[in-house]
Amino acid sequence: MKTDKIITAVSTAVGKGGIAIVRMSGKGCFALVREVFVSVRLSADAVAVPNKMYFGRIDAGGVSDVGYAVFFGAPHSFTGEDTVEFHCHGSEAFAAALVGRLCAVGASPAARGEFTKRAFLNGKLTLSDAEGVIDMIRADSEASLKAAYRMMSGGLSKEIYALQTRLLAVIAGLEAALDYPEEFGGIEAGYAGEIGAVRERARELVSASRQGGIIKKGAAVALVGAPNTGKSSLLNRFLNKDRAIVTDIAGTTRDTLEESVEYRGVRLNLIDTAGLREGTSDAIEKRGIERSFSAAKGADFVVYVLDGAEIGNTAVGNAATGNVGDIEAYSDEVVRAKAFLKDFEKDAVAVVLNKTDLLEKEEQAKSNKGADRLAAKLSEEFEEYAFFAVSAVTGEGIERLLTHIAERFMGGGGDAEIMTNERHIYAVKRAKEALDSAVSGFGNEGTECVLVDLKAAWFALGEITGQTASEAIVDEIFSKFCLGK
Amino acid sequence: MQKTFDIIVVGGGHAGAEAALAAARLGRSVLLITMSLDSIAFLACNPNIGGTSKAQLVREIDALGGEMGVAADKAVLQMKMLNGAKGAAVRSLRGQVDKSLYHRIMKRTLEDTPNLVIRQDEATELLTENGEVKGIRTEMGYNYFSGAVVLATGVYLNSRIVIGEYTKRSGPSGFFAAVGMSDSLRENGIEIRRFKTGTPPRVHKRSIDFSKTEVQEGEKGICSFSFLNDFYDADPAAQARCYLTYTTPETREIILKNIHRSPMYNGAIEGVGPRYCPSIEDKIMRFRDKERHQIFIEPEGADTSEMYIQGASSSLPTDVQTEVIRSMVGLKNAEIMRFAYAIEYDCLNPEQLTPSLGIKHIKGLYTAGQINGTSGYEEAACQGLVAGINAVNYLKGNAPLVLKRNEAYIGVLIDDLVTKGTNEPYRMMTSRAEYRLVLRQDNADTRLTEYGRAVGLVTDERYEKYLKKQAEVKEIAERLETAIPPNAALKKMFEEKGMTVAVRGYRLSELLRRPEFGFGEIETLFDFSEYSRAAKSEVEAEIKYGGYIDKQNSEITTFLKADRYGLPDDLDYTAMSGLRLEARAKLNKIKPVSVGQAMRISGVSPADIGVLMIYLSKKG
């Protein structure tokens, strides 16, 4: 018989920090460590030594990082159970990915306050701990409520709510047939199609849990633009070793992918489309644009690079005549960019004015603030998109650009939502697994057995929607069916 | 005249009868006060016992040493197994019983029980002192004293019946209403509310054209209500018959035309009625598109011509009722003997109860049955049994009997009532039991006999029978591990199900696990004739559900851990500032006995539970 499940969560406070700690607690969790952690010293110890820090590589599924694992043997841990802590670099996304990875190998995401609950159940909390822990639980639940609220306004949560509602109707129908066999016996068969359809939708939701996918696999970022706008130098600047951890990406499925960088906890897989438009003949260039377009289309984010020097030269030329903002001067490039970008989601695009350093030089020479004015004008021109003026050479504006991209994949403000989402994804996955079992059981096993799975799915989805009161099932039976003596 | 007793039971219905019997059998001196000796164990509504989830309750009452199952078996006119073709967990016995006989059997049992005094009078006042119950005062002016009181007042408190424009202060079926006690309960700080229920008309048998209806026969070869009795093997032809008929479009027209005369629709009735037992006018109004509604016609007894028209409860005026009944197939000439009526009554908010069915703020006061907001004979009887047992436990200073949700439907019922409350008369349903697969009729004895034995209600006869079955279950399970070679019998068994011929050997348990085979087929391969059907049914169910029971077991483990964590009853939740306001209010009202119960209260979140535990650790 299964005992208490192993739970895991990011245990350090949300936000930026030097290190992040992922905690895992529950009997059997020591064994799970070896699934995600490779350490020479740990391999040397047949049994992990408590309270010793093991250095090694932590594999969060696609992303890895060097860090430490510390083992605490029951009852000498916060929860009083066998506990493991992973100390990794302060990346929220990596910590979240690690939680996801641990869940894939057998743990479950901890519910709010669950570590504390266990600590309490095992008699580990003392008077002095108590106040602080209450604050922690309250703050956590408030943050989670906010996250849940954000989710609720999104399409995904509506989808989950709708799915749960459909599932409820199925459950109510099957329950009515069982509890009122004389009135409704025999209506069960009619639900086969709907159960299959609900399962299919759950399956789609799981595969569409993009956030989870991005945390694990990274976001694909395509750099596009005319030749010689500085895409390659931008790429190199992104890969600056003293800021980013560069990892090999052998074996990844994207063959167009060239380099990968982790920035503020988000792994960005950079696709450089430079060279795609190289060539002189019109025919080749056209094909190049098409290929560039399709590479960008498959990406999670597009960085459209404009050549500041090129535009600047033209513009600055006009500046002498006091005509800096004249759109005519660089309209070709703007028109081309707009045409290219019109099919992309607006907030999945950043328009970047590169080579501001060259522009600066020109401007200085003419002691003119034309560069700023040019940037302002272009930013108006591309007001639907995020706009950045950068220099790949000096690094100016690069941080802002990368921060913008990373934040898009950090789930809003980058607070508790990542953890919450991990729980959401986990919940939908469990719902889907229960529905798989319901589908295969339908017609073979009794309705009461199929209902075990359907209710498990319903409750799993309820962890997201908040609808978990079993009375809802009884209410639904009475509202849908005319029954009773 | 004896004035002092250990326990006083107020009301002699299904709850009161079980409570009085249990307490007296446990050696306590018991006074049963009832307004009429003729209403003891009176089946005021439908003439049947059991049904989905209710049969499980009866089997559980029986396993604990209660009386309902034994009495029902004696009064049965027809027996059926609902969901008979489905899995064991949802199969439910339903017996048509002779109402008069059932009443007489139960009355006789009560009369024959030592330590039990039965008196016809009306309890009008609850006597309490310093938060402890002292006894009752009756309408005839007597004060009776006791250490514990069980209130099982049914639908009698301030009851009023309504038939269209006609209304009368009355209990069910012409019995008197009980006045006074509601006010006394209010004075003792008990929150009273008003519920409503109803019953359909009774029609003379000779006025029904049965040729236009479908005959519903009984079955044989199914278990009895009581574990003490063998399987029920009466020939269906010799059993009483029920009949199925339907409403017609005309029924609909009549109701739509007269709906303004329904007290439920014109506001004359305020009580909250049960959704699962809608009146015929409710059904028509709420489900207008439904072409026809089922109506079952059932005998009220063997020596009466009254027939119960199930599905036609109503509070419409008598002239409309007559038209409605006569519009149904086969009832054109129906002679109504008793009209349908709605009845409103006082009951209490069960959130005031502990899981032992004691009122939280009055020591020694227990309540059971419809006063707790439930509906149904079986629901009442099981509460009566638990309340009776716990009144005795209270007097002896023993821990109360509290069955858990994974142990019994009784546990589910009481936990739902005291943890979540109810806004309508509460009826048991199998869908309310999350661990339904383990709460079956076939294993009620396995689940509960030891509890009943520990309490002292399980007789030696029952206990020996139980031990014998347990031994059988064990042996059968062992023998089912026998491997059968691919012989002719095995081949035949597969072929008869149109399945590919077995080419390998099988363990019997492996075969039994398959949906195609039942114990009957297994017996063609191996001799199990020495074992009882009861033992075989239980083993079969356990094997068939094996995988699903395993799934539920991990949930049950978690559930039990939280349920085992006790909470003191003097916690002041309002002072716990870390809890959300809603959670504080709810916890303070319910005063959960365990963390598990606290978790089940609606409006208490997992974060609240976390906070609560920290407060507890500070206290400790």
Side-chain angles (χ1 to χ4, degrees), chain A residues 167 198-199 202 430-440 454 457:
Chain A
L167 201 47
V198 168
R199 189 267 299 257
R430 274 185 300 135
K432 186 240 156 205
E433 278 159 23
L435 286 166
D436 284 342
S437 174
V439 167
S440 66
L454 292 176

Side-chain angles (χ1 to χ4, degrees), chain B residues 221-445:
Chain B
I222 52 185
C223 69
S224 294
F225 282 115
S226 176
F227 176 67
L228 294 175
N229 294 325
D230 284 335
F231 270 45
Y232 186 80
D233 280 323
D235 184 357
Q239 299 181 32
R241 292 172 153 196
C242 295
Y243 306 87
L244 172 60
T245 188
Y246 294 94
T247 61
T248 62
E250 202 192 334
T251 315
R252 191 171 163 273
E253 291 313 308
I254 297 165
I255 287 173
L256 290 179
K257 198 172 73 201
N258 290 288
I259 195 65
H260 62 283
R261 295 179 66 195
S262 160
M264 295 303 293
Y265 282 83
N266 64 24
I269 291 185
E270 290 160 22
V272 185
R275 289 172 299 177
Y276 49 80
C277 194
S279 59
I280 184 75
E281 52 268 30
D282 254 357
K283 292 188 199 181
I284 300 282
M285 297 304 287
R286 286 186 53 221
F287 297 92
R288 286 186 202 211
D289 300 338
K290 202 168 170 184
E291 210 173 290
R292 58 180 195 173
H293 294 266
Q294 285 181 327
I295 299 289
F296 290 93
I297 305 175
E298 305 170 358
E300 289 260 307
D303 52 5
T304 171
S305 290
E306 279 189 81
M307 298 298 279
Y308 177 89
I309 312 299
Q310 196 215 87
S313 79
S314 176
S315 55
L316 286 164
T318 53
D319 59 313
V320 185
Q321 277 191 34
T322 309
E323 266 191 87
V324 166
I325 291 296
R326 290 186 173 173
S327 71
M328 295 171 183
V329 179
L331 290 166
K332 207 171 108 196
N333 301 311
E335 237 180 85
I336 295 182
M337 297 173 73
R338 301 186 205 223
F339 284 101
Y341 59 86
I343 184 165
E344 272 193 318
Y345 56 96
D346 287 348
C347 56
L348 56 82
N349 179 353
E351 291 177 348
Q352 299 167 97
L353 299 170
T354 68
S356 65
L357 293 181
I359 293 280
K360 283 168 202 162
H361 69 278
I362 303 176
K363 286 202 180 76
L365 181 60
Y366 293 81
T367 58
Q370 278 164 305
I371 191 175
N372 287 345
T374 61
S375 162
Y377 312 138
E378 304 81 359
E379 286 87 342
C382 74
Q383 290 174 69
L385 177 63
V386 170
I389 290 171
N390 284 335
V392 173
N393 281 331
Y394 164 73
L395 293 179
K396 288 162 86 173
N398 288 349
L401 172 72
V402 177
L403 298 171
K404 298 200 176 293
R405 299 184 70 92
N406 66 318
E407 291 176 328
Y409 273 90
I410 300 176
V412 174
L413 184 150
I414 294 176
D415 184 63
D416 277 353
L417 279 182
V418 307
T419 306
K420 296 171 180 167
T422 182
N423 292 319
E424 66 179 332
Y426 179 103
R427 180 207 198 275
M428 199 65 226
M429 296 166 77
T430 71
S431 44
R432 297 192 196 267
E434 55 276 62
Y435 311 122
R436 173 165 61 193
L437 300 187
V438 295
L439 304 183
R440 307 185 307 270
Q441 294 181 130
D442 61 76
N443 70 354
D445 50 297

